[in-house]
Structures are given as structure tokens and as C-alpha cells.
Amino acid sequence: RRVGKTVIIERLANVHAGESLLLNGEDLEAQALLSERSVASYQRLIGDKTLLLIDEAQKVPGIGAMVKLMVDHFPQLRIVLTGSSAFDLYQDLGEPLTGRKITLRIHPLALEEFRSTENLLETQNRLAVCMIFGCYPETWHYQNPKDRISYLKNLASDYLLKDLLQYDGIRNTAKLQNLLRLIAFQIGREVSFDELGRQLGLNKNTVEKYLDLLIKVFVLIRVGGFSRNLRKEVSKSSKWYFVDNGVRNVFAANFNELSLRNDTGELWENYCISERLKAISYRDVLAWYYFWRTYDQQEITWVEERSGGLHGYEFK
């Protein structure tokens, strides 16, 4: 949510003006136009267009079956769907479009994107802002820290958890927010489900379920322990990070400057890991990632397994 999908799809429509059709899945008229699931109906809708763009596609009931019919009968037509509800998208688009789709994930602004518009000195000068306020695009429209904080608070409460709170069985918003607060203060540390459960008054399985859902709505990142089944290696624990530093700082209730903080190391580690995952995603690298630690406290912060090799990184 809030990473610029609508801006991108509108830009596509402008670039391909005359050959594209842009619909909004939240528009009831658009839903009605798509609801008559027949080749003839879609032929009338599409006409001679070669590009169909549907924003917030998960709002259209049965969108997966509709798009499958179009893909099968209109080979000249390219279709772009955007959406931010992971649950609805996976359910509606997964099976009908197996083998017929390419999935792209859009992240908050990445270091690689800034690289094209600034030099190294500018990047270094911007670094503290990224570590404190994160990289959601709209935060860069504000110069005043108070405005940035206000935006991030609204983002965390109104947008990022919206999917999760609509999910069946998630009713206790206070417990969910308290869980995120606990994770915010344990960046880079191994987290015990049992301990979190005791602090929250929840059982271990419920905590694990909440954390898994927070991954699916793009709030948290889980990093598991790497092991080659050596008895001295820690492999069952996990570390947790936030997708964006600004959101982490909302739940930590701390937007102080770096010179006034005692968690700069945690912020740096979270920032490096989120940036590394953006790079892996945008470069289309197939990699598994872990942390590595032995019981006698030897440790590597980040281990990537890719191209048949292991690559270790430390973020200091």
C-alpha cells in the first residue's frame, strides 16, 4: 500500500494513450462492465485496444476468472492489474492465471532508484532521513519532520493494517499493535513466540499466525537461521525486521535524530536488510536468505544462498 501503484498505472495509460483502457476496480460501473463474463461482452468493452489496465483489481469479484477468459480469447491484449490486498489477490488470481501471469512487487523507494538522480554525497546526506522516516514515496513530499511523522502514523494505522484487520479471525487490534511494538524493540534479535505470547496474553500459535499475516501484508520481514545441521548451529529461531524504517519508528514511538538515539545500530541493520531485499527483487535474483549463529556466539548478520554458493554480510 502507498508505494505508487496508481501513479505507475496512470503513467502507463498516458504513454499508451489511444491504445489503452484504464479501469478502477473500486468503481461500481467498472465492476458492472466486467461482470458479464462472456467473450462478446469483453469484445465490446475492449474494442481495438491492446492494453487493459485495472487498478485495485482485487475489488472486482471473480477477477481471476474474468482475466483468464480475456487472456485465452484476446491474444493481442496485454493486461496489467494492480492491487495491494495480498489475501484477495492470491486467492482470486492464483489458480486461474497459473502459467499466464508475471507478478511484480513494488517496494517503497529503493537506493537504486535514488542512484539515478543523485551522487554519492547526496545519498550520504539523505541516509539519516531514510533511517528515521523510511522510504515511502509520500514522505518525500514533506520537508517538515512533524508532517512526515503525521503521515507515517496515518499510514501505519489506516493503510498497512487495513487488510489484516479485515481478515477473518483478527479482531483484537490492541494485541496486534502491541505485538508490533514488541517487535520494534527487538530488531536484529532472535524472537521467541512463547515469550511474545506471555507478554501479550496470547498463545504461541496465535502469535505465530499474527506474524505470518504481517509478512503477507508487507509490514514485517522474517529471517530464519541458517544451518548445515551442525549441532552447534542455531537454526530454529527467527529474527524480525520491518519492511520500512519509518513504520518501525511509529511503533517504537521514536523519531529522534540519530545523535539522540541508542538504537542507531538496529535502524542501520533494518535499513540495510530492507534495501538488500529491494535489490534482490528488482534485479530478479533467486536467493534464500538467513542469519547464522552458533551457540558460542559466532554470528553473521546476513547469509544469502544463491547460484550454488553462500555469501555472508555484516551490517555495522
Side-chain angles (χ1 to χ4, degrees):
R1 290 189 177 276
R2 312 306 298 172
V3 293
K5 296 181 299 299
T6 299
V7 171
I8 290 172
I9 204 168
E10 288 176 350
R11 182 70 59 85
L12 276 173
N14 289 333
V15 169
H16 297 277
E19 58 180 307
S20 65
L21 173 64
L22 173 61
L23 301 175
N24 188 323
E26 294 180 310
D27 188 313
L28 294 179
E29 289 188 12
Q31 292 182 18
L33 287 171
L34 293 166
S35 63
E36 187 180 337
R37 200 181 306 167
S38 69
V39 174
S41 172
Y42 292 151
Q43 180 64 70
R44 289 193 297 272
L45 174 65
I46 297 164
D48 60 353
K49 307 292 186 186
T50 57
L51 179 63
L52 174 63
L53 306 157
I54 306 178
D55 196 18
E56 296 295 349
Q58 81 279 358
K59 298 292 186 180
V60 181
I63 185 65
M66 296 174 184
V67 172
K68 178 180 181 297
L69 187 63
M70 295 182 200
V71 170
D72 290 345
H73 288 85
F74 303 103
Q76 84 286 359
L77 184 66
R78 294 168 295 162
I79 304 173
V80 179
L81 310 175
T82 74
S84 51
S85 174
F87 303 119
D88 294 335
L89 282 176
Y90 291 151
Q91 182 176 344
D92 291 345
L93 299 178
E95 185 177 345
L97 296 181
T98 300
R100 296 178 173 86
K101 64 179 172 64
I102 297 171
T103 302
L104 303 174
R105 179 180 295 184
I106 303 172
H107 301 264
L109 290 170
L111 179 63
E112 292 196 359
E113 295 176 272
F114 285 112
R115 238 186 225 163
S116 64
T117 62
E118 64 186 20
N119 59 42
L120 181 58
L121 181 60
E122 291 170 325
T123 299
Q124 291 174 336
N125 291 336
R126 182 181 47 76
L127 184 57
V129 177
C130 289
M131 288 174 62
I132 296 170
F133 297 105
C135 295
Y136 274 94
E138 281 182 82
T139 61
W140 294 92
H141 290 292
Y142 303 109
Q143 298 303 315
N144 188 317
K146 288 184 178 180
D147 292 334
R148 286 175 169 167
I149 293 169
S150 178
Y151 171 77
L152 287 165
K153 286 166 63 179
N154 290 330
L155 176 73
S157 60
D158 296 343
Y159 287 101
L160 296 183
L161 301 183
K162 184 177 178 182
D163 290 336
L164 196 54
L165 297 179
Q166 293 175 345
Y167 187 74
D168 184 40
I170 305 297
R171 299 181 181 87
N172 198 327
T173 58
K175 297 282 188 185
L176 189 63
Q177 290 177 339
N178 286 337
L179 173 60
L180 284 164
R181 290 190 187 104
L182 289 175
I183 294 296
F185 290 107
Q186 299 190 57
I187 296 297
R189 304 177 198 168
E190 292 161 50
V191 173
S192 162
F193 295 147
D194 289 319
E195 179 61 27
L196 290 174
R198 282 194 294 272
Q199 293 185 62
L200 294 167
L202 299 171
N203 65 51
K204 170 186 173 182
N205 292 336
T206 301
V207 170
E208 193 169 0
K209 172 187 173 184
Y210 280 14
L211 289 171
D212 181 60
L213 295 174
L214 285 163
I215 296 171
K216 291 178 179 175
V217 294
F218 315 117
V219 175
L220 293 181
I221 299 164
R222 176 188 177 273
V223 180
F226 176 81
S227 176
R228 284 288 189 246
N229 296 318
L230 301 178
R231 292 179 61 185
K232 64 179 182 179
E233 291 178 327
V234 175
S235 61
K236 294 184 179 179
S237 299
S238 297
K239 293 184 179 183
W240 295 84
Y241 301 89
F242 280 77
V243 167
D244 185 76
N245 276 39
V247 175
R248 182 268 178 185
N249 286 329
V250 169
F251 290 103
N254 187 354
F255 285 95
N256 288 338
E257 296 179 8
L258 296 181
S259 61
L260 302 175
R261 305 179 71 116
N262 60 5
D263 60 353
T264 303
E266 288 87 343
L267 290 179
W268 174 244
E269 187 172 326
N270 197 100
Y271 176 71
C272 286
I273 284 174
S274 65
E275 284 299 321
R276 182 60 190 158
L277 289 176
K278 293 172 192 175
I280 288 172
S281 174
Y282 288 149
R283 296 175 188 176
D284 200 21
V285 175
L286 179 60
W288 300 104
Y289 49 87
Y290 316 87
F291 72 92
W292 178 83
R293 185 173 73 78
T294 65
Y295 287 105
D296 55 3
Q297 302 306 311
Q298 292 178 303
E299 185 172 3
I300 298 175
T301 306
W302 184 257
V303 176
E304 284 180 24
E305 189 172 14
R306 51 182 162 82
S307 302
L310 292 174
H311 307 261
Y313 303 87
E314 280 292 311
F315 305 131
K316 297 294 186 188

